[in-house]
Amino acid sequence: ACGNPIELITTSGNINDIVVTSNLLEQLDLSNTKTVCADRDFDSDVFRELICSKRSQDNILYKKYRGHLNKNTNSYMKSVNN
């Protein structure tokens, strides 16, 4: 999708995005998707494992307290999210 949204779920303003993200990802066919990009708000081991189970790789920055793990994250995402 070249970075464009391919699916959308709306929620109440008081619902954190990560709560519904797994449901959204489970609905998508990622067979032709090499990398799933998201900002650090989506840093979750469970979410990363779900992406991996769909045979894609994640490109999600780790939250600041896990920042030491960012060494393998794409440099584009680092520059956008820092």
Side-chain angles (χ1 to χ4, degrees):
C2 299
N4 296 313
I6 55 175
E7 192 67 43
L8 179 70
I9 294 177
T10 58
T11 62
S12 300
N14 62 339
I15 303 295
N16 192 305
D17 293 338
I18 195 69
V19 172
V20 296
T21 303
S22 294
N23 293 336
L24 177 66
L25 194 60
E26 288 173 357
Q27 297 175 29
L28 298 175
D29 175 13
L30 297 180
S31 59
N32 293 320
T33 303
K34 187 175 183 179
T35 305
V36 174
C37 297
D39 64 29
R40 66 173 39 115
D41 291 334
F42 296 92
D43 174 22
S44 158
D45 290 335
V46 172
F47 185 53
R48 291 173 191 276
E49 290 168 10
L50 180 57
I51 293 169
C52 184
S53 75
K54 293 193 151 269
R55 299 185 181 193
S56 292
Q57 67 180 30
D58 74 85
N59 189 26
I60 303 169
L61 282 176
Y62 289 90
K63 291 186 178 176
K64 292 193 182 215
Y65 70 91
R66 295 175 11 136
H68 65 284
L69 300 171
N70 281 329
K71 64 181 181 250
N72 295 322
T73 305
N74 182 293
S75 61
Y76 173 75
M77 291 296 288
K78 287 181 185 177
S79 65
V80 169
N81 289 296
N82 283 336

